[in-house]
Amino acid sequence: MANLTPLQKDELIAQYVELCVDSMDHKDMYHFIYNTLAEDFDKLTDSELQDEIRYSFDEETLDELVENVTNETVLDTNNNGGKY
């Protein structure tokens, strides 16, 4: 493998990213973005996550999402007491 200059490495990365993106369909892109965001958000503290939601959307959205995950009725969408 050739030793690349920083500029050459940047260009290699840019070309490879283009190939990767061009080879993905919409479903692949959705899953990639979903997984990337989930991993990024998982690294945040509860407070940082709430700030992220609040600043990306608004306080009302944050309140609604917190209500969704803390309300047992909402979480049990299959009406089976949480069992699969």
Side-chain angles (χ1 to χ4, degrees):
M1 179 75 183
N3 288 327
L4 303 176
T5 67
L7 185 59
Q8 291 169 328
K9 183 178 178 183
D10 289 346
E11 184 59 30
L12 177 62
I13 291 169
Q15 290 183 25
Y16 183 56
V17 166
E18 283 292 324
L19 285 173
C20 290
V21 170
D22 287 345
S23 70
M24 292 180 174
D25 62 18
H26 288 99
K27 187 176 180 181
D28 293 333
M29 287 184 192
Y30 173 86
H31 287 291
F32 180 80
I33 293 168
Y34 182 95
N35 290 335
T36 299
L37 290 173
E39 288 173 13
D40 289 349
F41 296 151
D42 189 51
K43 295 175 186 173
L44 300 177
T45 65
D46 289 354
S47 178
E48 290 169 334
L49 178 57
Q50 291 177 25
D51 285 345
E52 172 71 27
I53 296 166
R54 185 180 295 113
Y55 299 139
S56 294
F57 292 91
D58 54 31
E59 188 74 33
E60 187 175 309
T61 301
L62 172 61
D63 292 344
E64 181 180 336
L65 294 175
V66 170
E67 174 66 21
N68 288 349
V69 299
T70 58
N71 183 334
E72 290 183 26
T73 304
V74 173
L75 288 178
D76 189 16
T77 57
N78 294 324
N79 241 0
N80 60 7
K83 297 177 185 174
Y84 293 100

